[in-house]
Amino acid sequence: MEVSVVEGLMQDYELSLQHVLWRLERLHGKSEVVTKREQGVHRMTNADLVPRINRLAGALKRLGVKPGDRVATLAFNNYRHLELYYAVPCMGAVLHTLNLRLFPQHLEFIINDAQDKVLFVDQPLVGLLKPLAGKIPSIEKIVLMTDGAPAAEGHGLGEMLDYETLLNAESEDYPWPKLSERMAGAMCYTSGTTGNPKGVVYSHRSQFIHTMGVLQKDNLAISETDSVLPIVPMFHANSWGLPYAIGMSGAKCIFPDRWMGDAKVICELADQEGATILAGVPTIWIGTVAYMKETGKRLPKVHTVVCGGSAIPRALMESMDALGLRMLHAWGMTETSPLGSVARPRAGTKPEDELNARLTQGVIVPAVEVRICDAATGAELPWDGVAFGEIQVRGPWIARAYYNGYDPDKLTEDGWFRTGDVAKITPEGYIQIVDRTKDVIKSGGEWISSVELENAIMAHPKIMEAAVIGLAHPKWDERPVAFAVPKPEFKGQVTQEEVIEFLKDKVAKWWLPDEIRFIDEVPKTSVGKFDKKVLRAGAVPIKENAAPAARK
Ligand code: ADP
């Protein structure tokens, strides 16, 4: 039988970030972009921003930037960085946001790996480039972004061009080229929590669709009426896609610049500028809770605190709820643009089950598909809330390869991306991360989830933070050891025994850590996650003959 295929008669409209720029200009001119400054704030509207984006594109062209060239940024969350977020991809080049907390050798590696041509640097960060002098030959020009202060002397990087001078020399109109949606718009290196950084390259199409996904009501639900304060760095997975979601919706944008870790500044900025949505990793909120409890400060206008990057400890969500800050838990990674799943209680959830639902990593977002697979056999596992295996995903904003072809095995033969996260999925579809493949503790042939143990320990009233790693054990292969930081008022006043006692009715007996080691601070990665590589490297072996707390 002859099959007749009818072609769709819709336009082949290229999904590019130029559309977001179009909305900024035509619809959202009045929306504000506010950036924290040393004194007060810098305030502008999108009507001020767009001509500067045009000028910047002109300046890039004059500097010799051509379609496909990589343009690096070493910058905080501020309006100039936002201008680069638009001008670079919309002129056809590729925005490469450098992680300013990387070690110099990692920075050198990623600049050379990406072969960046021009580098834009915020004035307070010039010092980070000093160790790279003479080692980043692909960089032809460095542009300094400053409110007036000169670059520190002796950086050895030659002449730096001044951002504002470059912009002033250009016209307010730029003839934006026609782009293909498949072109790269940005690249971001993984932060190397479990290995060397690898380049993830986003296309215009992936970023456009991701932006639409972020905005959905069951996802982050950002509207024009919102004021969004992204505390997630603009170098970290494209700031979770927030800059473009804010632009697309016309929401007000509030940037903390370099005061991201300062709870006082964040709370004051959010309060003064009427923030309704905040976004950041759990570490940020741990500091915020302490500050708000101490000062009595409250943020009644905030309706959502987006939180991801690592699991939200139950105690943190409860404290935030008690302060009137409702957390929205999301999961994702650089390779997933990053939005993967969002934890909103599903229709019909009983009120008493809501908190548990919100503490999961949530339900996979529309456009992305998920499955969990057995590590050894690769077989797909059921969504029964019991079986756990590696999360694999596919969809239009999921990476299919790394830049320069590293780690080609990340994609399965049938085209799913291996995330390296281990999870269960409940029959309702909630994803529950058990651990990262590399962090899960193998004890006597069974698996212990370091994440669950950490959460249980962090619920102890005297503990502020806890990270758990597996250390070699002659009999059990590995046993869990916890590194705990007491709350300041309990320093020196909490014992291993009382923590173990506290855990006894919360986790299986054989999960109880062999030791609780008290430390002043958990080492963090460049994006604020517990750095277990550092903990493992510096950990003394499990004490021989230590009466293992677990089996007492
Ligand atoms: P890196 O891989 O260098 O840490 P990413 O920001 O891409 O940088 O990290 C992604 C990883 O962070 C995920 O694979 C997962 O292990 C962890 N992660 C992200 N969000 C969550 C979450 N909500 N709960 C638990 N883990 C999370």
Side-chain angles (χ1 to χ4, degrees):
M1 200 178 60
E2 201 179 310
V3 183
S4 72
V5 178
V6 180
E7 248 192 54
L9 295 178
M10 294 296 116
Q11 299 181 0
D12 273 332
Y13 177 79
E14 299 290 330
L15 305 180
S16 98
L17 294 170
Q18 288 176 349
H19 174 73
V20 190
L21 192 52
W22 183 87
R23 287 186 68 88
L24 281 187
E25 184 174 4
R26 304 303 290 266
L27 286 163
H28 303 310
K30 286 189 187 149
S31 305
E32 282 183 304
V33 176
V34 174
T35 304
K36 166 84 183 115
R37 282 290 168 251
E38 200 71 57
Q39 302 294 332
V41 294
H42 173 279
R43 197 177 291 281
M44 72 201 305
T45 62
N46 286 332
D48 304 321
L49 183 81
V50 172
R52 285 174 57 85
I53 294 170
N54 280 269
R55 288 170 184 274
L56 175 56
L60 287 163
K61 191 167 180 197
R62 202 174 293 276
L63 291 177
V65 173
K66 300 204 172 50
D69 281 345
R70 272 76 64 210
V71 174
T73 59
L74 189 61
F76 296 111
N77 287 22
N78 56 41
Y79 66 98
R80 292 196 183 101
H81 209 168
L82 185 66
E83 289 161 4
L84 284 153
Y85 254 67
Y86 284 103
V88 175
C90 290
M91 67 156 330
V94 185
L95 178 80
H96 175 197
T97 49
L98 300 171
N99 178 341
L100 52 93
R101 299 194 200 114
L102 286 183
F103 293 121
Q105 64 269 29
H106 273 166
L107 268 183
E108 178 188 334
F109 169 80
I110 68 175
I111 292 172
N112 286 322
D113 194 62
Q115 287 287 291
D116 298 323
K117 189 166 178 179
V118 180
L119 170 62
F120 286 76
V121 57
D122 267 342
Q123 183 267 337
L125 295 170
V126 171
L128 296 182
L129 294 174
K130 204 171 159 188
L132 307 187
K135 296 180 179 163
I136 42 175
S138 66
I139 300 284
E140 293 173 10
K141 302 263 171 24
I142 299 183
V143 181
L144 182 70
M145 299 189 282
T146 164
D147 290 348
E153 292 288 307
H155 46 70
L157 294 152
E159 190 208 353
M160 289 193 187
L161 304 167
D162 175 63
Y163 186 87
E164 296 297 333
T165 311
L166 290 181
L167 260 59
N168 286 338
E170 301 299 328
S171 142
E172 286 192 2
D173 291 312
Y174 184 78
W176 297 105
K178 195 166 165 21
L179 301 179
S180 139
E181 63 179 24
R182 310 268 161 189
M183 283 169 68
M187 68 191 303
C188 204
Y189 279 71
T190 61
S191 52
T193 306
T194 54
N196 273 330
K198 293 185 287 272
V200 177
V201 183
Y202 306 112
S203 63
H204 278 264
R205 175 188 151 85
S206 74
Q207 290 190 297
F208 186 107
I209 309 176
H210 181 260
T211 303
M212 302 296 278
V214 168
L215 295 178
Q216 284 186 302
K217 190 170 175 195
D218 279 336
N219 295 338
L220 305 199
I222 299 173
S223 128
E224 188 183 7
T225 54
D226 280 309
S227 300
V228 187
L229 171 49
I231 308 168
V232 49
M234 287 173 87
F235 59 74
H236 187 201
N238 264 324
S239 210
W240 297 353
L242 290 169
Y244 299 132
I246 293 170
M248 191 78 111
S249 64
K252 172 174 171 177
C253 183
I254 312 165
F255 282 129
D257 198 73
R258 65 190 138 110
W259 288 272
M260 295 214 269
D262 188 327
K264 180 171 186 287
V265 172
I266 294 297
C267 287
E268 282 172 3
L269 189 63
D271 191 20
Q272 281 157 18
E273 296 300 327
T276 58
I277 299 179
L278 313 177
V281 294
T283 328
I284 298 276
W285 310 120
I286 291 174
T288 308
V289 166
Y291 173 77
M292 289 175 80
K293 280 189 180 160
E294 197 184 301
T295 58
K297 182 104 190 158
R298 296 295 179 268
L299 298 169
K301 287 201 181 138
V302 174
H303 58 71
T304 307
V305 177
V306 184
C307 184
S310 39
I312 303 182
R314 177 180 289 266
L316 177 63
M317 192 178 276
E318 285 172 343
S319 308
M320 290 283 280
D321 280 354
L323 292 166
L325 294 176
R326 191 175 167 92
M327 297 187 102
L328 179 62
H329 194 190
W331 164 85
M333 58 202 305
T334 308
E335 295 90 326
T336 65
S337 290
L339 193 64
S341 62
V342 178
R344 291 197 188 265
R346 303 205 62 183
T349 306
K350 294 195 202 98
E352 62 269 29
D353 295 332
E354 280 203 0
L355 183 65
N356 280 341
R358 289 170 56 214
L359 281 164
T360 68
Q361 276 67 25
V363 176
I364 200 79
V365 295
V368 182
E369 290 174 24
V370 67
R371 68 183 185 189
I372 44 173
C373 293
D374 185 87
T377 65
E380 191 175 346
L381 298 167
W383 293 13
D384 59 7
V386 180
F388 54 89
E390 184 183 42
I391 305 181
Q392 299 181 354
V393 284
R394 66 175 180 193
W397 63 71
I398 308 298
R400 66 178 158 85
Y402 290 108
Y403 195 60
N404 284 334
Y406 295 113
D407 218 352
D409 295 339
K410 281 300 261 191
L411 223 57
T412 62
E413 273 175 16
D414 56 349
W416 293 68
F417 181 81
R418 297 179 214 263
T419 64
D421 284 339
V422 178
K424 307 170 191 170
I425 304 183
T426 68
E428 298 81 28
Y430 293 111
I431 299 169
Q432 284 176 326
I433 300 228
V434 174
D435 226 323
R436 277 193 158 188
T437 319
K438 289 179 180 150
D439 292 337
V440 81
I441 299 157
K442 289 132 208 137
S443 171
E446 298 289 341
W447 283 20
I448 297 175
S449 158
S450 67
V451 175
E452 271 182 54
L453 262 181
E454 285 160 6
N455 281 339
I457 299 171
M458 284 190 274
H460 190 285
K462 294 184 184 171
I463 302 290
M464 188 162 78
E465 284 183 338
V468 175
I469 57 171
L471 288 183
H473 189 280
K475 179 160 178 207
W476 302 103
D477 189 15
E478 272 183 356
R479 287 294 304 157
V481 169
F483 292 78
V485 182
K487 288 184 180 158
E489 62 272 33
F490 296 111
K491 206 172 164 192
Q493 291 175 41
V494 46
T495 63
Q496 158 164 300
E497 287 66 32
E498 70 178 286
V499 177
I500 297 286
E501 198 51 47
F502 174 81
L503 292 176
K504 277 190 176 157
D505 58 354
K506 296 180 180 65
V507 299
K509 198 166 175 220
W510 59 278
W511 277 39
L512 292 171
D514 276 30
E515 287 177 46
I516 311 269
R517 299 182 185 171
F518 293 101
I519 52 176
D520 291 337
E521 197 184 339
V522 177
K524 309 269 172 19
T525 69
S526 60
V527 289
K529 302 182 192 191
F530 292 163
D531 197 336
K532 298 191 181 180
K533 263 196 308 201
V534 171
L535 278 179
R536 272 185 211 110
V540 290
I542 293 184
K543 277 187 226 134
E544 259 183 67
N545 305 328
R551 288 177 297 282
K552 254 199 247 175

